[in-house]
Amino acid sequence: MAKRKRKGGTAVLAPPSDPPVMAGLVGPPRTVPAGIARPPYALSGEPGPSVSDVVRTPDEIDAMRRAGAAAAEVLLIAGSLVAPGVTTDSIDARVHEEALARNAYPSPLNYRGFPKSVCTSINEVICHGIPDSRQLRDGDIINIDVTLFLDGVHGDTSCTFLVGDVDDVSTMLVRETRTSLYDAIDTVRPGAPFNAIGKAIETHAKKFGLGVVRDFIGHGVGTEFHSNLQIPHYYHPRLTRKMEQGMSFTIEPMLTLGAIECNIWDDDWTAVTVDGRRTAQFEHTMVVIDDGVELTTLTGSGECAADIYGS
Ligand code: MF3
Ligand code: CO
Ligand code: CO
């Protein structure tokens, strides 16, 4: 039977990433000194049901600026480490250390049992890669997803970095995934429907023949790591709910060179494309403000890894 074409007839743009990403050895979880405030799930691993309001208070928004700026700084540092031969575990070590240096808790650590302090997702890994002993290779692409818990709230941001000399199709994938995030951010303002976000991402992806992953979505974020708002990156006609001033959430599109479906490894976390083709992701945390949107995951001087490494 002929394979059904994806709506829009997206072509496969590249062969599977070769060689496939293989798991390495995962070290023990890193420890956090008692003086650093932990999110409620840190001990049990279970965040429980989301109970927070979708709208943040002014004090919470201020805290989100601090948590977001710290996350943006740490992501920039993590990106500066990316080079052939570097292990994802050594990136985890540095992210952990830089989080503690800012009095922050690295949010992934023990979130639903996640064993490390940051997510590192290479080539065909869509998201939630676990840092391990694997060394980065010339030509890889790697998403580093940093979330920090500081002053009672989370800042969640990620960027896909190029390792050494990367082929043109992968470079296009990374560049256009970044652009799709910024196109989506441009739709955010009070009164805009939430489905404008997915529409913008899908429209951009289609122009370049890229797939849009549906199994992982953006989310409300603030006092909770993942709270009630759901932000699909594809167009969802019935998602007509309107954005309101003070709502805080992420947009984090994952675009692919082929299939959009995923398999999950036996580690219960690592999500890979079913066809082994590459995928990229960028993420910002934002708050809806009176005249539009404010990104909280920028440094004090307004910088972010996506602007410095992604364009
Ligand atoms: N930072 C990821 C996100 O963007 C979530 C990671 S959950 C973890 O939503 F447990 F894998 F860390
Ligand atoms: Co997120
Ligand atoms: Co994230």
Side-chain angles (χ1 to χ4, degrees), residues 108 111 114 119 128 145 147 156 219 225-226 252 269 281 283:
Y111 180 80
F114 191 81
C119 296
H128 301 164
D145 190 343
T147 312
D156 187 4
H219 50 93
F225 193 172
H226 295 101
E252 48 184 296
W269 281 105
Q281 179 178 29
E283 174 175 28

Side-chain angles (χ1 to χ4, degrees), residues 78-153:
S80 75
L81 304 177
V82 168
V86 170
T87 67
T88 49
D89 186 61
S90 69
I91 295 172
D92 183 77
R94 185 67 183 275
V95 166
H96 188 84
E97 176 192 325
E98 297 290 344
L100 303 186
R102 288 165 178 74
N103 255 316
Y105 179 94
S107 307
L109 186 60
N110 207 30
Y111 180 80
R112 298 188 190 281
F114 191 81
K116 304 301 285 186
S117 301
V118 66
C119 296
T120 51
S121 302
I122 299 169
N123 299 345
E124 70 270 27
V125 180
I126 298 171
C127 61
H128 301 164
I130 300 173
D132 65 17
S133 60
R134 183 192 184 280
Q135 293 181 357
L136 296 177
R137 299 177 194 193
D138 189 55
D140 282 348
I141 60 173
I142 177 176
N143 176 274
I144 303 180
D145 190 343
V146 171
T147 312
L148 297 189
F149 179 73
L150 177 64
D151 294 345
V153 298

Side-chain angles (χ1 to χ4, degrees), residues 34-274:
I36 289 183
R38 290 153 204 261
Y41 57 80
L43 215 56
S44 68
E46 278 312 319
S50 174
V51 294
S52 66
D53 201 315
V54 291
V55 169
R56 309 264 70 75
T57 66
D59 281 352
E60 286 171 346
I61 292 172
D62 259 346
M64 288 192 70
R65 293 184 179 113
R66 295 190 292 274
E73 285 169 21
V74 174
L75 181 59
L76 273 169
I77 294 168
S80 75
L81 304 177
V82 168
V86 170
T87 67
T88 49
D89 186 61
S90 69
I91 295 172
D92 183 77
R94 185 67 183 275
V95 166
H96 188 84
E97 176 192 325
E98 297 290 344
L100 303 186
R102 288 165 178 74
N103 255 316
Y105 179 94
S107 307
L109 186 60
N110 207 30
Y111 180 80
R112 298 188 190 281
F114 191 81
K116 304 301 285 186
S117 301
V118 66
C119 296
T120 51
S121 302
I122 299 169
N123 299 345
E124 70 270 27
V125 180
I126 298 171
C127 61
H128 301 164
I130 300 173
D132 65 17
S133 60
R134 183 192 184 280
Q135 293 181 357
L136 296 177
R137 299 177 194 193
D138 189 55
D140 282 348
I141 60 173
I142 177 176
N143 176 274
I144 303 180
D145 190 343
V146 171
T147 312
L148 297 189
F149 179 73
L150 177 64
D151 294 345
V153 298
H154 300 267
D156 187 4
T157 184
S158 84
C159 177
T160 300
F161 302 93
L162 308 181
V163 185
D165 214 4
V166 171
D167 68 83
D168 290 347
V169 175
S170 300
T171 303
M172 177 277 288
L173 168 71
V174 172
R175 184 178 61 234
E176 302 311 334
T177 303
R178 175 188 178 279
T179 302
S180 80
L181 168 61
Y182 283 102
D183 282 1
I185 290 169
D186 282 343
T187 71
V188 177
R189 56 174 172 78
F194 273 103
N195 63 14
I197 292 171
K199 193 188 218 170
I201 293 165
E202 214 167 67
T203 301
H204 190 75
K206 274 198 185 131
K207 282 186 201 154
F208 292 86
L210 300 170
V212 179
V213 170
R214 302 170 80 97
D215 291 346
F216 301 94
I217 61 179
H219 50 93
V221 61
T223 52
E224 297 171 314
F225 193 172
H226 295 101
S227 58
N228 272 326
L229 291 172
Q230 304 204 345
I231 318 287
H233 303 115
Y234 52 92
Y235 178 58
H236 193 312
R238 289 190 308 282
L239 190 61
T240 52
R241 181 177 186 174
K242 301 282 195 294
M243 302 174 199
E244 296 165 38
Q245 196 174 330
M247 283 178 162
S248 60
F249 52 86
T250 72
I251 304 178
E252 48 184 296
M254 287 142 272
L255 268 47
T256 69
L257 292 178
I260 61 170
E261 296 82 12
C262 71
N263 287 326
I264 308 286
W265 283 4
D266 284 345
D267 62 19
D268 285 340
W269 281 105
T270 310
V272 295
T273 58
V274 291

